[in-house]
Structure formats: structure tokens, C-alpha cells
Amino acid sequence: MEGNPRFEGSQRLRDIPHHRFAEVLGLRGIFVDKPERLGDAWDAAFSAAGPVLLEVKAAPNVPPLPPHVTLKQARQFLTSLYRPPGAR
């Protein structure tokens, strides 16, 4: 990924309500667009009787960092974000 933590192919998704599509397939779909609703959404997903698709609207320029990483992994992740001035 050449130092870019975002995989380009995953950044150009069609703007469709994925949670609604999951419901058409018979799954439970949950949509979250406000940070304060995320906890309740996770609770609902984990207490569901079957499969759940949790769709979360997030800032596109904030790369995800898994919650359980080693210090070495976190450092490497942050290093991948740094781009010297003038670099593309």
C-alpha cells in the first residue's frame, strides 16, 4: 500500500444503504451515524439472535487502528501515516 494505510479499492464504495441491503437478505441491519449511538448499536448487534450487519458512517480520512495492537504495531502504523512535505 506504499505507506498509505487506506486500500484504494476499499475507498470507492457505492453510496447505498448497506444495512438495508442486509435486511433484504434476511439479516439484521444497523446504521450508526453518530458516535454516541455506537455503544447501543454494538449492544444490539451482540444480543441479536442471528447475523447482523453493522454499518457505521465514519470520517473517510481517519484510518482505522484496531483496539488491540502492540506498541510496535502502533508505531509502524503511525510511521505509515507520515508523508514528508512534497511527497505524493
Side-chain angles (χ1 to χ4, degrees):
M1 295 190 315
E2 299 176 4
N4 187 349
R6 296 181 306 178
F7 174 61
E8 188 63 32
S10 70
Q11 302 302 306
R12 297 183 183 181
L13 301 175
R14 299 183 133 227
D15 190 16
I16 64 167
H18 293 89
H19 65 290
R20 300 253 188 219
F21 184 68
E23 291 169 355
V24 169
L25 297 174
L27 308 174
R28 171 135 188 231
I30 301 172
F31 178 73
V32 179
D33 60 351
K34 295 183 176 160
E36 61 271 12
R37 294 181 51 210
L38 189 56
D40 290 338
W42 275 116
D43 290 341
F46 284 126
S47 65
V52 176
L53 185 135
L54 181 59
E55 180 178 357
V56 180
K57 186 174 184 178
N61 292 324
V62 177
L65 182 62
H68 303 289
V69 296
T70 66
L71 181 57
K72 180 181 176 183
Q73 290 170 324
R75 283 185 181 144
Q76 289 173 334
F77 177 79
L78 292 173
T79 300
S80 75
L81 296 177
Y82 174 72
R83 291 186 187 252
R88 58 176 219 148

